[in-house]
Structure formats: C-alpha cells, structure tokens
Amino acid sequence: MTRRIVQFAGVATCLALFGCGSGGGTGSEGTGGTTGSGGSTTGTGGTTGTGGTTGTGGTTGSGGRGGTTGTGGTIGTGGSTGSGGTTGTGGTTGTGGSTGTGGAAGRGGAAGRGGTTGTGGAAGHAGTTGTGGSTGTGGSATDGGAVTVDCSAVMPTGGTVHTGTNVNGTADGLGYGIWTNGSGGSITTFSNAHAFSTSWNNSMDFLAHVGLDFNSSKAYTAYGKIEAQFVEKKSGSGGGFSMIGMYGWTHSPCVEWYINEDSYNGLGGGGSATATIDGATYHMQMKTTTGTGGANACESGHSGGWTQMISTRSSARTCGTVTVSDHFDAWTKQGWSLGTLSSVHINVEVGGGMGTIDFPVANVTTVNK
C-alpha cells in the first residue's frame, strides 16, 4: 500500500506604503503571519494541519511636524490555514485465504488375514471361516473329520441295572439290550450319559449292546454318515469266543453284521477281502449261519438261516471312532446285498466265561435320523 502526502504552503504578501509628508515617521512594516504548516497525511485519515500564526500589524508611525501621519504598516494577513492532510485511504482489507479443502480421507489399510482381509472369505469347510482370515477349527464328527475320543474317560456314577435273558429298553436317547441262550447276565445303563457296563457268568452265548434303532423301511444310505465313538475296559474272560465292537441287523434280506475292534481271545481276521477304513486294514467276509437268535431278530415270520457280514480289524484297539457307513459301502462294493437298516449298536458278545466290561464312552451318531 502506498501512502501519499500532499502539502500546500500559505503565502503572505505585505505592501509597505511610504507617506509623502515631511517629518512623518515611517511606520514599521508589519511582519507577515507565518504560513501554517499543512497537516501531515496519515494513513488512517491524516491529522488536520494547524493554521498559520496571524502576523502582527506594523506599528503606526508617529506623525512629523506638518507632515502626513504615516500609515501603519499593513497588518499581515494570517497565514493560510493549512489544509488538512488528505485522509489516507485505509489499507485494503486482505481477502481471507481460501479455506483449504480437506485432504481426501485416506482409505484404511486392509485388515489382514494374517495380512489381507479376505473379501468375504468363503465359509471354510471343516472349520475354515471367510470374513477375514481362516478359522482352522477341526470339523465335526459328521463333516470334516472324526470326533476326538477321550480314551482316559471314566465311568459315570449311578446307573440302573437290568437283568434277564432277553431285555430291551431306552436310556439317554439310546436303545439297549441283552440276549443270551444261557444263564443270563446284566447290563447297567445311565440316564445322563452315553455309556454302559455289563457282566456275565458262565453264559453260553451272551450279548449286551447300546446304540440306535432305525425305521427298517430305509436303506443305510438314507442316514448319511454313521459313526460310533467308544472306550472300553475289560476284565475276566470271554469263554470260547468273543467279539467287541459294532453290531446290528438289516431286513429284507435278513443280515446280521459285525465290525470287530477287540476281543478277549484275539482277533481272528478271517476273510480274504480287505478295505482300509479309519486308517486301518479290515478283513471282510460274508457267510450263512443258523441258530435260535437270528429268527427272532429278523422280520416277523423269518425261519431258517440268515447272512452274516463281518469286518475284523487287523490290530485290536480299545478306543476310537468307527465309521460304520464306510463298512456298509465296502461290503456293497463286494456285491453283498444289504437290506433296510434296523440297528447300529456298540456290542460285546462272549461264548461263556465270567467277565465284566465297562464302556465309559458308547455313542452312535448319524447325519439324519
């Protein structure tokens, strides 16, 4: 901003006239008034200049004898009042700086799936979850892997003892039963646990079992994956023969089937056909048998013999998961005809002796029931 200062100087003129009379004193010439100085121009409206001092008039001369009285000096004209300085124009108000536009909001860094966020990751099969990183939890018993079985499980307390030669019932959602053609035995079931225990004393043929019973109008394939979890602890003896594992029946045709996991007498491993199931080799065989028990287990009116299908594990175990439906598939691939499914039970069968066996875990599961 340029600030201008303009100043005007006042001018005083004095004209002295001398008298013609003799002896007339000459009046002193009045001094002109001092010219007022113009006010200084200031930026914020200049200050008005002060007027010049008025000159004092000249002294009147004393008259000479007979002479003309001299005229007094002309009174000096006062100095021109200084014109006020030009009011300075106020400085131009600065225009406010443009309001800065906010920087673009930064897009947050991608959350990682161990780094990058999965864009709606696909729900993981057998535990994998999308939305970000994978979940890697193991699959359930019916999808993505077998349930882990606690092989150190202990028997529950309490329980109800059932005795007789042919007894059936339900406990904690599972069917149970005992059958013998000898002197009998007992089974203990629990109302709040999938478990059982059983004992026998010199029975001829004795069976005790716990599991699921099905609508016999459907084939095993209608139930999806069928699995069992078991833990067993045995004592005593099993007589002339013994089988510990899975057991059940199908109808039309009448088939009694076994999956042998353990024995008091050692696993025989009969059969030339083999299949790898649950990480182990099983020897498979099919044969025809007769007796008093099969006629009662098959459909009403059945008489004569019936078919047995048997899988025997190559090495015994007392704990684990049995994928029962995989055995059914393996038998079917052999061309063996299975009927509609009637039962899938965890079972012990002995041919005499005196012994006890506890199952702190005895459970059967299916995808569809």
Side-chain angles (χ1 to χ4, degrees):
M1 179 176 64
T2 303
R3 186 168 58 183
R4 295 178 301 163
I5 301 175
V6 182
Q7 184 174 4
F8 296 92
V11 180
T13 305
C14 179
L15 180 62
L17 299 176
F18 297 94
C20 298
S22 60
T26 304
S28 302
E29 180 178 348
T31 60
T34 307
T35 302
S37 60
S40 302
T41 302
T42 50
T44 54
T47 306
T48 304
T50 57
T53 306
T54 304
T56 57
T59 305
T60 304
S62 56
R65 188 170 50 174
T68 305
T69 304
T71 59
T74 305
I75 296 172
T77 60
S80 302
T81 302
S83 60
T86 305
T87 303
T89 58
T92 306
T93 303
T95 58
S98 301
T99 303
T101 58
R107 292 182 300 181
R113 180 171 73 108
T116 306
T117 300
T119 325
H125 187 68
T128 302
T129 303
T131 338
S134 310
T135 321
T137 56
S140 68
T142 57
D143 186 12
V147 168
T148 300
V149 179
D150 180 7
C151 294
S152 62
V154 299
M155 288 296 294
T157 58
T160 303
V161 179
H162 313 275
T163 60
T165 58
N166 190 6
V167 178
N168 295 281
T170 303
D172 197 28
L174 297 178
Y176 67 85
I178 56 176
W179 178 90
T180 183
N181 59 4
S183 57
S186 67
I187 184 171
T188 302
T189 60
F190 301 86
S191 61
N192 59 351
H194 293 163
F196 76 100
S197 65
T198 186
S199 63
W200 56 93
N201 186 3
N202 295 315
S203 297
M204 293 176 60
D205 188 1
F206 175 83
L207 290 84
H209 44 87
V210 165
L212 291 178
D213 297 299
F214 298 88
N215 181 339
S216 61
S217 66
K218 297 180 181 179
Y220 77 90
T221 52
Y223 301 99
K225 183 177 285 188
I226 305 171
E227 290 185 328
Q229 298 82 41
F230 78 99
V231 177
E232 52 102 344
K233 299 176 183 178
K234 58 186 181 294
S235 62
S237 68
F241 62 89
S242 60
M243 294 168 286
I244 302 169
M246 305 301 301
Y247 172 81
W249 291 84
T250 71
H251 293 173
S252 300
C254 179
V255 175
E256 181 181 30
W257 60 265
Y258 293 85
I259 303 170
N260 297 324
E261 299 286 322
D262 192 19
S263 173
Y264 279 92
N265 311 85
L267 292 171
S272 59
T274 61
T276 300
I277 301 171
D278 297 322
T281 299
Y282 287 82
H283 297 270
M284 303 182 295
Q285 63 177 315
M286 181 180 68
K287 62 181 182 178
T288 300
T289 189
T290 59
T292 58
N296 296 324
C298 289
E299 58 269 34
S300 177
H302 179 84
S303 61
W306 65 92
T307 299
Q308 288 183 328
M309 295 181 189
I310 304 169
S311 287
T312 303
R313 202 171 192 269
S314 58
S315 58
R317 63 172 174 170
T318 60
C319 170
T321 295
V322 182
T323 308
V324 177
S325 50
D326 284 357
H327 289 269
F328 294 163
D329 288 343
W331 298 337
T332 300
K333 288 178 181 178
Q334 293 296 316
W336 304 345
S337 180
L338 283 164
T340 56
L341 189 59
S342 176
S343 59
V344 176
H345 283 219
I346 295 170
N347 177 69
V348 56
E349 181 174 0
V350 296
M354 182 174 68
T356 299
I357 188 166
D358 293 333
F359 286 87
V361 176
N363 192 26
V364 179
T365 60
T366 67
V367 174
N368 303 309
K369 178 67 170 70

